[in-house]
Amino acid sequence: FRSARSFSSNTAKSSSIWQQYNSLLETHPLTTKCITAGVIAAVADVTCQVNFPSPEEVNKPILERMDWKRTRNFALVNTFLFPPLAHYWYGFLSVKIVGTTFLAAVKRVILDQMLFAPILLASFFSAVLVVNGESDRIPDKLRNDLPTTILTNYTVWIPAQLINFQFVPIPFRVLWANAVGFFWNIYLSYAAVNSTKSEGEKGDK
């Protein structure tokens, strides 16, 4: 009986939190999306550093190899770059391509992945390098890693965005993208830092 009552209480609390989140999406949509994206990105970066350390740090204790500046910068970029762009982009798509049919969703995905995704990824890599004080690496980063990242992006985001545009209500589309983006950000966190360093080291040699 106590377990059932505890479960009921936890369910009620979860429902209340969800209702509060929905309320914030209505009253402060962009701010709520930005904070959500930043928190998810920070957790994703920590997850990446814990589970996918660079070769020179693999034998170090977890707390010693954690780069909190990297986590902060990654979260900042994801807080202020993706949510504002996605917020207005998804709104534009919903107005530009009217309808709830599967064909309408496909059209949105095509525009999203052919136009928005490459620009967003290029902006993301550039912003991460700028906040890390490595802006001189931007040309090499875009030349060496952007094409592969875009192709990987298609394998993840084409099906994810098809679900997003077909089934997810407009106010929750950035939230859905952030949820999928947790796993995508783990990949981006590794690619944005380790791949760039390896390319620079190869060039030095």
Side-chain angles (χ1 to χ4, degrees):
F1 175 76
R2 285 196 298 269
S3 298
R5 186 167 59 184
S6 176
F7 175 78
S8 177
S9 176
N10 290 335
T11 302
K13 289 180 181 178
S14 299
S15 177
S16 176
I17 292 172
W18 181 246
Q19 290 174 357
Q20 292 176 15
Y21 186 81
N22 286 341
S23 177
L24 287 172
L25 278 175
E26 293 179 0
T27 57
H28 303 86
L30 187 53
T31 301
T32 302
K33 293 170 185 177
C34 287
I35 294 173
T36 302
V39 171
I40 291 174
V43 175
D45 181 73
V46 170
T47 302
C48 178
Q49 292 195 54
V50 169
N51 293 282
F52 305 101
S54 58
E56 62 271 13
E57 296 178 339
V58 68
N59 293 320
K60 292 182 180 179
I62 290 176
L63 290 179
E64 288 186 16
R65 70 177 183 238
M66 289 300 298
D67 184 349
W68 297 110
K69 180 180 177 181
R70 163 181 157 177
T71 300
R72 180 200 65 193
N73 291 343
F74 191 74
L76 283 174
V77 170
N78 277 276
T79 297
F80 295 106
L81 179 65
F82 170 70
L85 293 176
H87 174 77
Y88 293 108
W89 173 249
Y90 292 160
F92 167 79
L93 287 179
S94 66
V95 172
K96 189 68 175 179
I97 303 175
V98 181
T100 57
T101 64
F102 180 74
L103 180 59
V106 170
K107 290 179 180 179
R108 293 188 188 107
V109 170
I110 291 173
L111 279 178
D112 181 68
Q113 292 301 300
M114 295 300 107
L115 295 179
F116 184 65
I119 294 173
L120 178 65
L121 288 172
S123 301
F124 169 81
F125 279 143
S126 300
V128 167
L129 291 174
V130 168
V131 297
N132 285 334
E134 300 177 316
S135 57
D136 57 308
R137 294 182 180 271
I138 291 176
D140 286 339
K141 182 65 180 176
L142 298 182
R143 181 174 59 253
N144 294 325
D145 293 333
L146 184 60
T148 300
T149 304
I150 290 175
L151 292 177
T152 305
N153 164 86
Y154 290 154
T155 66
V156 174
W157 285 105
I158 287 178
Q161 291 295 62
L162 191 59
I163 294 172
N164 199 6
F165 294 132
Q166 179 67 19
F167 301 109
V168 180
I170 293 175
F172 300 106
R173 284 178 180 170
V174 175
L175 177 62
W176 165 259
N178 282 328
V180 177
F182 170 74
F183 302 98
W184 177 244
N185 277 328
I186 293 175
Y187 166 78
L188 282 184
S189 173
Y190 188 88
V193 177
N194 293 282
S195 184
T196 300
K197 287 183 177 179
S198 64
E199 290 295 337
E201 290 165 359
K202 289 177 183 177
D204 292 340
K205 292 179 181 179

